[in-house]
Amino acid sequence: MENHLFSLISQAANRHSSVSSASGRLVVACLGTLFVAITGCQTSGGGVYTFHTMPSEMVAVRRENSQTLDLTRLARAAVDSDLIDRGDVIEVVISASLDEKDSVKIPVRVNEAGFVNLPEVGKISVAGLGTQEAEAAIFEGCIQGEFFKSPNVTVTMKKQRTNRVTVMGAVKKPGVYELPRGQSDLLAALNAAEGLEKDAGTIVEIRNSTRANGSRQDPVASENLKDVDTVGMTNDRGDPINQEFAVHGMATGESTFQTVRIDLVKATKQGESEAEGYLITDGGVVNIEKRDPEPLHVMGLVRKPDRYEFPLNEDVRVTDAISKAGGTSVTVADKIFVIRRKANGSDTAVIKVSLKQAKTNSQANLRLAPGDVVSVEQTPATVMMEALNIVRFGISSSLPIPGL
């Protein structure tokens, strides 16, 4: 094939050499270029694939637009905020009679086991109860402890627990936020941070803080207790109240973290959140993936070979890359090499693409990955076309212009 093409070009050069010695020299010069291109294009190294044969680990993943996701579908059923929960501070008033002087007012924090520890009465389980149900439970405790014969018990919510959550990554306002209990989930955290940034990806990691002994660290709840002013606490008669119960059940032990990885695309399409997977405990961290893709390189037979910014939230195909570079510089160009880094990060592979097929077949129009190099290659046809253009230019420049 090489000898046949060499013969054809030589004949063309001989036919046009009589017109102008300059054009003849141009044809002879382009002949060498053509021969080198022909011989070079016949060789190829290892690791060369097509869109049919490339392994699955080399397929570029689809780039979803995080800005179009319906994040409201992350919502889960909120916990009833009227119920008493661990970490809440409630106020218990126990009266032996209708006289206010005979009443004891006790602000107390619900410990991690769900109990309150009341002086003389003991431990009463109140987590998950409404205030009226808690009053009945404390009343029974008073009777069983024989501290009161027929007390009047009143329970009011003094301060509900909040979770301190850190939101970082591709959000508009990263920071530390206090989320109400019962609404301490992924959607609330994203809303607190005013939503996703334009460079946000679709992967979110939630790191929830836990304790080695199985209980949850709750420094915010202990701070809530300070707001109740437990120091120097007295009853209505001015008698000091034992404050030991106020900090009963504070978690101890080493902190550990449990990480949950969430794909926002799948989560929003499913429309239902996994009950524990989307909850954020006190001290939890939410990290939203930030996209900073490597640029796309387009080179070879294109009008504007250059490095181009890879879009954040949309797919890029081979034809898109050629269009970014102003199209092919030779109309018959068809052979494209996509040079892609392998998963190990050090080796690269070549994926061969036909531009003609890419224009008519969506599978052949390969999806590109950040950092890809798209090279429009020389072929015998493109070299022939360039050679003929040189010949035509040489002939036209050598012809005499009438009247001069």
Side-chain angles (χ1 to χ4, degrees):
M1 178 180 175
E2 296 173 12
N3 292 334
H4 178 64
L5 286 173
F6 188 90
S7 176
L8 290 176
I9 298 300
S10 298
Q11 293 175 16
N14 291 332
R15 284 196 299 271
H16 291 290
S17 61
S18 59
V19 178
S20 167
S21 59
S23 63
R25 288 193 298 271
L26 286 171
V27 172
V28 173
C30 75
L31 176 63
T33 304
L34 173 61
F35 186 78
V36 171
I38 292 172
T39 57
C41 71
Q42 300 303 318
T43 62
S44 61
V48 179
Y49 307 94
T50 66
F51 71 93
H52 286 300
T53 62
M54 66 177 179
S56 58
E57 63 268 17
M58 285 186 57
V59 177
V61 297
R62 183 177 179 181
R63 299 180 69 80
E64 299 282 355
N65 187 351
S66 60
Q67 302 297 304
T68 62
L69 299 178
D70 182 9
L71 298 180
T72 60
R73 296 177 68 84
L74 298 174
R76 65 179 186 86
V79 176
D80 189 350
S81 59
D82 292 332
L83 300 181
I84 299 171
D85 196 10
R86 297 163 178 82
D88 289 345
V89 176
I90 60 175
E91 185 177 73
V92 180
V93 178
I94 304 176
S95 302
S97 64
L98 297 178
D99 190 346
E100 291 185 359
K101 293 181 180 181
D102 294 330
S103 64
V104 178
K105 187 179 294 184
I106 312 170
V108 60
R109 175 185 179 273
V110 183
N111 66 24
E112 288 301 320
F115 291 89
V116 290
N117 194 8
L118 303 176
E120 307 297 337
V121 179
K123 294 181 180 180
I124 305 295
S125 178
V126 295
L129 303 180
T131 54
Q132 291 184 350
E133 294 171 315
E135 289 171 356
I138 295 172
F139 178 86
E140 289 295 328
C142 291
I143 299 300
Q144 292 177 5
E146 298 181 354
F147 184 63
F148 295 100
K149 291 183 178 180
S150 182
N152 295 314
V153 180
T154 304
V155 175
T156 56
M157 179 65 69
K158 197 69 176 178
K159 191 172 183 65
Q160 290 184 333
R161 187 195 75 213
T162 58
N163 290 339
R164 183 169 293 177
V165 175
T166 301
V167 186
M168 57 191 298
V171 290
K172 293 181 180 178
K173 286 192 175 181
V176 179
Y177 297 94
E178 291 192 0
L179 303 180
R181 67 167 175 83
Q183 299 177 14
S184 185
D185 57 16
L186 178 57
L187 180 60
L190 294 178
N191 286 338
E194 299 189 4
L196 300 176
E197 270 287 11
K198 292 181 180 179
D199 59 352
T202 59
I203 302 300
V204 175
E205 281 190 355
I206 298 177
R207 298 181 66 213
N208 278 328
S209 175
T210 59
R211 304 292 284 185
N213 62 2
S215 61
R216 185 176 58 80
Q217 186 178 12
D218 204 348
V220 177
S222 63
E223 290 183 6
N224 290 345
L225 195 60
K226 297 176 184 178
D227 297 335
V228 185
D229 190 16
T230 60
V231 178
M233 194 186 313
T234 60
N235 59 21
D236 287 347
R237 293 191 299 268
D239 301 324
I241 297 176
N242 183 1
Q243 298 176 36
E244 183 180 356
F245 65 84
V247 293
H248 180 80
M250 287 296 292
T252 58
E254 295 182 0
S255 296
T256 59
F257 290 93
Q258 182 181 27
T259 301
V260 177
R261 188 177 175 88
I262 300 170
D263 186 332
L264 291 178
V265 177
K266 293 180 180 179
T268 53
K269 286 182 179 179
Q270 291 170 354
E272 294 182 0
S273 302
E274 299 177 6
E276 294 299 327
Y278 294 78
L279 294 175
I280 309 170
T281 62
D282 184 60
V285 178
V286 180
N287 186 24
I288 293 83
E289 171 193 22
K290 188 172 184 178
R291 286 176 173 170
D292 185 18
E294 295 183 62
L296 178 68
H297 299 260
V298 188
M299 57 188 293
L301 300 179
V302 290
R303 290 190 174 90
K304 296 183 292 183
D306 204 343
R307 182 177 64 178
Y308 294 91
E309 184 177 339
F310 204 96
L312 292 171
N313 296 309
E314 61 184 60
D315 278 347
V316 180
R317 303 276 180 167
V318 167
T319 53
D320 299 324
I322 301 301
S323 178
K324 285 177 180 291
T328 58
S329 58
V330 181
T331 56
V332 295
D334 181 62
K335 182 180 180 181
I336 297 175
F337 285 166
V338 176
I339 304 169
R340 178 168 297 169
R341 187 181 297 111
K342 290 186 176 181
N344 59 20
S346 57
D347 298 331
T348 57
V350 174
I351 308 167
K352 294 193 295 185
V353 179
S354 166
L355 184 57
K356 291 180 182 178
Q357 289 184 358
K359 290 179 179 179
T360 58
N361 185 337
S362 59
Q363 288 185 323
N365 193 14
L366 193 70
R367 180 187 291 121
L368 300 178
D372 278 355
V373 176
V374 179
S375 177
V376 182
E377 297 289 309
Q378 289 276 16
T379 63
T382 60
V383 176
M384 178 74 77
M385 179 64 70
E386 289 182 335
L388 292 177
N389 288 337
I390 293 174
V391 171
R392 283 196 294 268
F393 175 78
I395 294 173
S396 61
S397 63
S398 63
L399 291 177
I401 299 177
L404 293 180

